[in-house]
Amino acid sequence: MNPAIALTQKQLSEFLLNVAVVRPVFIWGAPGIGKSSLVEEFAKEVGIPCVSLLGSQLAPEDLIGVPQIMDGTSRFCPPRIIAREEPYCLFLDELNACSHEVQKAFYSLIHERRIGEYHLPAGSIVIGAGNRASDSAIVKPMSSALLNRMIHVHLKASHRDWLEWAKNNNIHPWVIEYIQTRPDHLWSQPPKHEETFSTPRSWHMLSDALHEFGEGITDDWLEVLAIGCLSPHHATQFKGFIKQIKSKYQLSAILKGDISWPHQPEDRDVLYFLAQSLRAQLIKELPQEQKIATGNHKDLAHRAKGLLKELASISLEIAQMVVSQPEKGDALPSWLMVEIVRDLPRLVQKENGK
């Protein structure tokens, strides 16, 4: 399913408050993006308990219940976790990972809020969620009958929403500061093979582990934790970032000319992180069109070219990485690249295949 519009966490919360109270909703989103925690927060906000069922682990009888003979006739008794007297939010997580037999068992529950003779209490809410096939997750096609019983919405990661949440939920300061510096690293596309990747959930796990190790954590343990939670590229960047904040090197000071690039071999990971940060800052601050560039923009571009020349004298490869133009994702403004080609042709030789 290709989303036409994807909502942030805040937008989805507002959507649920206005829609889920009247119709079942299905939330599409990548693994670890925060679907489950968002539904739990929504249930808390409306003042009802949240009951979660994991579709990938359900059998039909887990919903329908088992038959019992009562007054000479059989009757299916739904499980106690579902058969409640007070209204609640029923969260059907990984709904599109369950078997087709289980999907059939959900038909009346989602459409009529009923299982056999049991009806959900008035005021109850039904919300489903699942990953997408493009996320390399275990999913099964949902039948058209099940799809048509819910209102569908897509969730996307928002660094602003996540940082606001993180500051109120004891997320480790290093993690918060890193995502503030590199918001594009909050989430990465799930890989097609067995490899860790970055999500809001994995950053939360890293935060918990950092809290347990405490301030005395060694560089070796930091590397183990980062590699165990994040995508390889982000793990390397995070390690360099922590080493950088523990040292005297700050990008702002380098831009001002107060200090130079780190040039010792043992600081190569710090140099790589600082170079990536420079690239990210240029993409963020410089306009794509030169005609709207202000004096401050031109000063930043001029300073950046000087820093790139200095960086190339330390590591040509890292300097070329800063100016590389990816096939996908954000790139440096074309007008800045024209100036770099003119003034620093050596940096783009590799990029142009010369």
Side-chain angles (χ1 to χ4, degrees), residues 61-342:
E61 56 269 22
D62 294 328
L63 292 173
I64 300 172
V66 294
Q68 292 186 1
I69 304 299
M70 301 180 67
D71 299 326
T73 60
S74 64
R75 176 183 176 185
F76 281 87
C77 297
R80 180 178 297 177
I81 192 173
I82 293 177
R84 299 182 172 216
E85 297 182 359
E86 299 297 326
Y88 65 97
C89 176
L90 179 59
F91 178 44
L92 309 174
D93 199 5
E94 296 185 7
L95 177 56
N96 59 338
C98 62
S99 66
H100 288 152
E101 289 74 19
V102 175
Q103 289 187 22
K104 292 177 184 177
F106 279 125
Y107 285 4
S108 61
L109 176 60
I110 292 174
H111 186 56
E112 302 173 345
R113 288 180 166 85
R114 173 182 62 83
I115 303 177
E117 298 180 21
Y118 170 75
H119 289 260
L120 297 183
S124 294
I125 295 170
V126 179
I127 299 176
N131 303 318
R132 305 158 301 190
S134 59
D135 298 318
S136 301
I138 299 175
V139 297
K140 294 180 174 66
M142 282 198 288
S143 69
S144 57
L146 185 57
L147 277 167
N148 197 237
R149 281 170 162 80
M150 296 173 286
I151 297 175
H152 297 263
V153 65
H154 294 258
L155 176 64
K156 65 179 179 181
S158 165
H159 70 275
R160 292 183 180 87
D161 288 0
W162 189 84
L163 284 170
E164 183 177 330
W165 171 87
K167 291 173 183 177
N168 296 319
N169 285 272
N170 196 35
I171 298 300
H172 198 282
W174 287 353
V175 172
I176 291 177
E177 190 172 350
Y178 182 82
I179 298 301
Q180 287 174 330
T181 304
R182 294 305 306 266
D184 53 318
H185 287 188
L186 176 61
W187 179 81
S188 60
Q189 183 68 33
K192 296 186 180 302
H193 48 85
E194 294 83 358
E195 185 178 86
T196 53
F197 60 101
S198 303
T199 66
R201 178 166 58 200
S202 65
W203 283 108
H204 194 173
M205 292 190 295
L206 176 59
S207 168
D208 288 345
L210 290 173
H211 277 306
E212 288 301 311
F213 268 94
E215 295 181 0
I217 186 172
T218 65
D219 290 343
D220 289 340
W221 280 121
L222 179 66
E223 183 176 21
V224 170
L225 293 179
I227 291 175
C229 295
L230 310 174
S231 62
H233 173 63
H234 295 175
T236 300
Q237 290 276 282
F238 183 74
K239 181 186 174 185
F241 171 74
I242 300 305
K243 188 173 180 180
Q244 172 249 318
I245 64 176
K246 288 181 176 181
S247 70
K248 63 181 181 180
Y249 296 105
Q250 300 288 335
L251 180 60
S252 58
I254 293 175
L255 282 169
K256 291 178 182 177
D258 296 337
I259 58 175
S260 301
W261 293 109
H263 58 275
Q264 297 298 328
E266 60 269 22
D267 290 329
R268 188 52 55 95
D269 51 353
V270 178
L271 180 67
Y272 182 78
F273 173 79
L274 289 168
Q276 285 277 18
S277 298
L278 173 63
R279 174 184 170 84
Q281 185 162 335
L282 293 175
I283 292 173
K284 178 182 178 182
E285 295 191 12
L286 295 181
Q288 288 298 315
E289 297 184 20
Q290 188 175 16
K291 63 183 180 181
I292 62 174
T294 65
N296 288 335
H297 293 143
K298 294 175 182 178
D299 289 343
L300 175 59
H302 178 75
R303 178 59 181 151
K305 287 187 294 182
L307 289 175
L308 284 170
K309 183 177 181 180
E310 296 173 13
L311 181 60
S313 67
I314 302 172
S315 170
L316 178 60
E317 181 182 3
I318 293 179
Q320 289 174 328
M321 174 272 299
V322 175
V323 302
S324 63
Q325 300 293 79
E327 294 183 4
K328 296 182 180 180
D330 296 327
L332 294 175
S334 57
W335 61 269
L336 176 62
M337 288 300 301
V338 169
E339 293 186 13
I340 291 174
V341 170
R342 182 193 66 208

Side-chain angles (χ1 to χ4, degrees), residues 23-83:
R23 287 289 183 176
V25 170
F26 189 90
I27 304 169
W28 296 88
I33 204 171
K35 300 183 295 293
S36 303
S37 58
L38 190 147
V39 172
E40 291 170 1
E41 286 295 321
F42 161 75
K44 186 184 299 183
E45 188 172 351
V46 297
I48 57 177
C50 184
V51 176
S52 298
L53 297 179
L54 201 58
S56 58
Q57 299 179 4
L58 291 176
E61 56 269 22
D62 294 328
L63 292 173
I64 300 172
V66 294
Q68 292 186 1
I69 304 299
M70 301 180 67
D71 299 326
T73 60
S74 64
R75 176 183 176 185
F76 281 87
C77 297
R80 180 178 297 177
I81 192 173
I82 293 177

